[in-house]
Amino acid sequence: MSCLLMLLFGFKLKRVCCARKTSFGEKAQKVESSLKHSKCQGLKRLLTEDRINIDQAIKEIIRIKSITVDVHPQFESTLKVCLNQICGYRQLISEVESVRKIAYSSDNRGHEEKLLEFWNCLMPNTSLQTRYTRQWGDVGFQGEDPMTDFRGMGLLGLENLVFFASQYTATARHVLSRSHHPQHGYSFAIVGINLTHLAHHLLVTGALKTHFYNLVQGKPKIEHFHQLYCYLFYEFDKFWHAEKPNIMEFNSVKDKFQKKIVLLLKNKTTTLIPKFAAGD
């Protein structure tokens, strides 16, 4: 890497980190872009390697780019936030993916307890007659055994549903009641699992970087992913009823909804935050 290129890169990184009117979300994306286009392979590795010592990486960047921290005191702290966001997003993908790969099993007591918790949150006054029953259709599963519906998204689909039903119970029950509309109804749980697929897709393609970089000044946790899922479910329900479709139009409506979300995320200041309170 030539001295001129190193100086230009260092100047750009310094300018990004020291900008006063730029949000942390925008700074993280600009730092990530700078690292991606760097001619220094050591810096590029910050975008691919899982085990990164952030503090050591910052010291190396300061050394390579000859940054005077006494002159630019905010550079180091800002860069640390941005690198934690960048590395944290990649770690979140790994964590979400590991949960998705766990197949639901009716022989797993923990899995069965989560499934029952989902039912009890939404149907507190109705007991299941048996484990295998058509009653599961009341919360939007396709048959007598919900296990078969989790094949695509694994345990992640169930954990998303349980989080929505347990953390935003009143809102989840409201959405469930709307899903029973005689003309424009849909299967609550099945749609929920489809929205898990959408959330997962947005995450792994990087579309959610805008949201998470603006939301968390550090490493996002899987709880933040669950909260994003709740936002998607609530907003999809509103979108669905505004469209007034029938269930045969589900895929086309879902595609239109996805395009709407992707467009929102192109705004570098976007955060997709639920507009309802936890514990409601």
Side-chain angles (χ1 to χ4, degrees):
M1 188 176 187
S2 71
C3 292
L4 178 59
L5 286 174
M6 288 180 68
L7 286 171
L8 288 173
F9 178 82
F11 175 74
K12 183 177 180 180
L13 204 57
K14 180 174 64 178
R15 185 180 60 189
V16 168
C17 291
C18 298
R20 294 183 178 181
K21 295 183 179 181
T22 306
S23 68
F24 269 105
E26 292 177 275
K27 287 179 180 179
Q29 293 189 64
K30 289 179 179 179
V31 167
E32 187 172 24
S33 177
S34 295
L35 293 173
K36 181 180 179 180
H37 294 97
S38 171
K39 300 298 182 181
C40 178
Q41 294 303 313
L43 295 180
K44 280 190 172 184
R45 283 199 293 271
L46 293 173
L47 301 178
T48 57
E49 293 185 0
D50 291 329
R51 296 179 180 179
I52 298 293
N53 184 320
I54 299 294
D55 292 328
Q56 187 61 42
I58 292 171
K59 290 179 181 178
E60 191 67 9
I61 290 172
I62 290 173
R63 183 188 66 80
I64 292 174
K65 304 308 174 188
S66 301
I67 304 294
T68 306
V69 293
D70 291 338
V71 177
H72 305 285
Q74 71 270 46
F75 176 83
E76 189 171 359
S77 59
T78 300
L79 183 59
K80 184 172 183 177
V81 169
C82 292
L83 290 180
N84 270 302
Q85 290 175 310
I86 293 165
C87 295
Y89 188 91
R90 193 167 64 249
Q91 291 167 5
L92 179 62
I93 291 177
S94 179
E95 185 176 1
V96 167
E97 189 66 10
S98 67
V99 178
R100 187 190 68 83
K101 289 181 178 180
I102 300 173
Y104 184 95
S105 173
S106 58
D107 296 325
N108 187 305
R109 182 177 178 180
H111 295 182
E112 290 287 282
E113 288 175 350
K114 285 179 183 289
L115 182 61
L116 186 58
E117 180 184 2
F118 173 65
W119 173 271
N120 288 334
C121 285
L122 295 182
M123 307 288 285
N125 300 317
T126 305
S127 298
L128 287 169
Q129 296 172 354
T130 63
R131 166 61 177 80
Y132 302 97
T133 171
R134 299 298 298 179
Q135 283 179 281
W136 289 114
D138 295 341
V139 292
F141 289 106
Q142 294 184 107
E144 296 184 353
D145 185 4
M147 183 179 77
T148 59
D149 294 324
F150 292 117
R151 286 174 182 167
M153 285 289 106
L155 196 61
L156 184 64
L158 176 59
E159 290 199 352
N160 275 168
L161 287 170
V162 171
F163 188 91
F164 186 32
S166 62
Q167 299 300 310
Y168 303 101
T169 305
T171 300
R173 289 176 185 172
H174 173 69
V175 173
L176 175 64
S177 68
R178 284 163 59 86
S179 75
H180 291 157
H181 191 282
Q183 283 82 43
H184 310 299
Y186 57 83
S187 298
F188 182 93
I190 296 301
V191 166
I193 294 169
N194 273 273
L195 291 173
T196 294
H197 181 274
L198 172 58
H200 175 265
H201 172 75
L202 293 173
L203 180 71
V204 299
T205 58
L208 286 176
K209 287 180 179 180
T210 299
H211 166 71
F212 284 118
Y213 288 175
N214 285 313
L215 182 70
V216 185
Q217 289 187 20
K219 296 181 178 181
K221 301 177 181 178
I222 197 165
E223 181 180 352
H224 295 122
F225 178 80
H226 291 323
Q227 289 171 343
L228 177 278
Y229 167 84
C230 296
Y231 169 90
L232 291 177
F233 208 144
Y234 182 75
E235 292 299 321
F236 177 82
D237 176 73
K238 290 198 302 181
F239 188 84
W240 175 269
H241 286 284
E243 293 286 312
K244 300 186 184 302
N246 60 58
I247 196 62
M248 299 302 293
E249 299 172 273
F250 174 75
N251 285 333
S252 63
V253 174
K254 182 179 68 108
D255 289 345
K256 287 174 67 176
F257 178 72
Q258 180 173 334
K259 290 178 182 178
K260 176 185 176 182
I261 297 298
V262 169
L263 185 61
L264 283 174
L265 291 167
K266 289 186 182 299
N267 182 330
K268 298 304 181 183
T269 63
T270 292
T271 51
L272 307 179
I273 300 175
K275 298 178 181 178
F276 40 88
D280 54 4

